[in-house]
Amino acid sequence: MKRGKNAEETAADGENDSNSASAKKTKKAKEPEAPVMYDDPPDKMTSKDGRSANMKITSWNVDGLRAWVKKNGLDWVREEAPDVLCLQETKCGQKDLPADITSMPEYPHKYWAVSDDKEGYSGVAMLCKTEPVKVTYGIGKEEHDKEGRVITAEFPDFYLVTVYVPNSGRGLVRHDYRKTWDVDFRAYLTELDIQKPLVLCGDLNVAHQEIDLKNPKGNKKNAGFTPEEREGFSQLLSSGFVDSFRELYPEQANAYTFWTYMMNARGKNVGWRLDYFVLSSGLLPGLCDSKIRNKAMGSDHCPITLHIAV
């Protein structure tokens, strides 16, 4: 996610005014507060109804596939060893895909969606250990599908949808388009859900509630935290879907998946929770855990992992 979050970046720095006239009058400078970090707890492998997890899905906005591979992202993937790996913001045409990932024997079934209009823009991928029943691209609307944002895989018991939701942009230049996207994408998911339950994962480019970002007050007019984007996500949840992380950890603060590269935001944990596993309510009894792997480096986002019994 790339954004012009001036308010966040100012807040991320916290000590910007240390050389101001008022600060010079202070005899003793205030000590900066130690950042409050999030520790990903041990994985839960059993659902509420007593079933053991039999599907592990990882999602990661890699902020450029080629750079991420060079930063040893695949080493982390091999250690995590999900059944399905979903990637967003690959920014890479198929002819430029790194051999390190196209030749991965662990994932013989690989699917790529790229932007038709802009090379090195957007893009998603899905790598599977077992072959899906069917794979489709986009949501059936050309205005959305030309940017390579959605892959849907049908498995015997559920659909898996990975998405890179459009960013409203610096100055909210794509805000109206984003509102149209939210309506059309919700309709697409609702239609799928009639056929069989689904797992949605990816960068949804919205922090839903104030608990989902470090500086909510300064970002209410910025991309990713506008009332319209937050309401769009609320409407998705009211259509029969569940935010898996908040279902399990309703009061957990400081749990973020994105940090701007500027002003040591990640070191200070000044972040946003933009990456989600959203489940059809029918899959909720099999939910085991929804993880934020915030120690994994290689992008301005960290990976997230779902354990589920299906």
Side-chain angles (χ1 to χ4, degrees):
M1 171 171 186
K2 300 296 162 283
R3 52 172 81 247
K5 296 194 291 284
N6 294 334
E8 180 212 3
E9 287 152 10
T10 299
D13 195 8
E15 268 62 62
N16 265 355
D17 298 325
S18 60
N19 292 323
S20 67
S22 59
K24 287 178 180 177
K25 294 177 184 177
T26 305
K27 290 182 179 179
K28 186 176 181 181
K30 183 180 177 182
E31 288 292 322
E33 292 183 12
V36 180
M37 311 305 285
Y38 172 66
D39 289 322
D40 187 28
D43 293 19
K44 301 172 188 172
M45 303 303 291
T46 306
S47 65
K48 286 184 179 179
D49 63 6
R51 287 180 289 161
S52 296
N54 61 0
M55 176 66 72
K56 181 178 185 180
I57 305 168
T58 291
S59 176
W60 199 346
N61 178 321
V62 295
D63 187 33
L65 184 70
R66 287 166 287 187
W68 173 78
V69 167
K70 290 177 181 177
K71 295 174 185 175
N72 301 313
L74 292 177
D75 291 347
W76 184 91
V77 169
R78 290 189 174 97
E79 185 176 340
E80 183 78 354
D83 298 301
V84 183
L85 172 66
C86 298
L87 305 175
Q88 302 88 40
E89 209 172 356
T90 54
K91 301 180 182 178
C92 186
Q94 285 194 258
K95 68 181 186 301
D96 298 318
L97 293 170
D100 287 354
I101 194 167
T102 59
S103 63
M104 281 186 82
E106 298 94 331
Y107 298 98
H109 311 286
K110 305 176 184 71
Y111 309 94
W112 312 90
V114 300
S115 172
D116 293 337
D117 289 349
K118 302 178 187 176
E119 190 170 339
Y121 174 76
S122 187
V124 293
M126 187 181 294
L127 285 69
C128 308
K129 288 186 175 180
T130 59
E131 187 173 10
V133 175
K134 183 181 179 182
V135 174
T136 57
Y137 301 87
I139 64 173
K141 286 186 174 287
E142 185 180 355
E143 65 176 308
H144 303 312
D145 295 347
K146 63 186 179 181
E147 293 188 357
R149 293 185 176 276
V150 179
I151 298 175
T152 301
E154 180 182 355
F155 291 95
D157 299 311
F158 70 103
Y159 288 105
L160 174 60
V161 182
T162 191
V163 63
Y164 176 43
V165 169
N167 190 321
S168 288
R170 185 185 296 270
L172 302 180
V173 293
R174 297 196 86 191
H175 195 45
D176 288 341
Y177 172 68
R178 167 62 182 272
K179 288 186 284 187
T180 301
W181 162 279
D182 282 350
V183 172
D184 292 343
F185 188 53
R186 183 170 70 251
Y188 172 74
L189 296 175
T190 303
E191 285 294 316
L192 280 184
D193 191 43
I194 293 170
Q195 301 169 51
K196 62 175 69 173
L198 65 85
V199 174
L200 166 67
C201 70
D203 177 358
L204 303 192
N205 258 323
V206 62
H208 184 216
Q209 303 291 359
E210 291 197 355
I211 196 174
D212 294 316
L213 73 167
K214 182 67 173 179
N215 295 312
K217 290 183 181 179
N219 282 292
K220 291 182 178 179
K221 296 182 180 180
N222 286 329
F225 199 59
T226 63
E228 294 84 1
E229 291 165 312
R230 296 170 65 192
E231 176 60 22
F233 190 71
S234 293
Q235 289 185 17
L236 176 62
L237 298 184
S238 67
S239 301
F241 300 98
V242 179
D243 174 353
S244 62
F245 183 81
R246 280 288 166 238
E247 177 69 20
L248 296 172
Y249 307 100
E251 305 298 328
Q252 179 62 61
N254 305 299
Y256 309 126
T257 65
F258 165 83
W259 306 261
T260 177
Y261 283 125
M262 290 181 273
M263 285 173 277
N264 190 31
R266 191 160 187 173
K268 297 175 182 178
N269 199 29
V270 177
W272 301 55
R273 188 170 73 96
L274 302 177
D275 303 84
Y276 297 77
F277 281 104
V278 173
L279 312 180
S280 295
S281 56
L283 292 176
L284 195 54
L287 173 61
C288 299
D289 213 347
S290 188
K291 313 301 296 174
I292 294 178
R293 306 297 202 197
N294 60 335
K295 302 294 192 296
M297 307 302 285
S299 170
D300 52 0
H301 292 248
C302 74
I304 56 174
T305 289
L306 178 76
H307 294 293
I308 192 168
V310 291

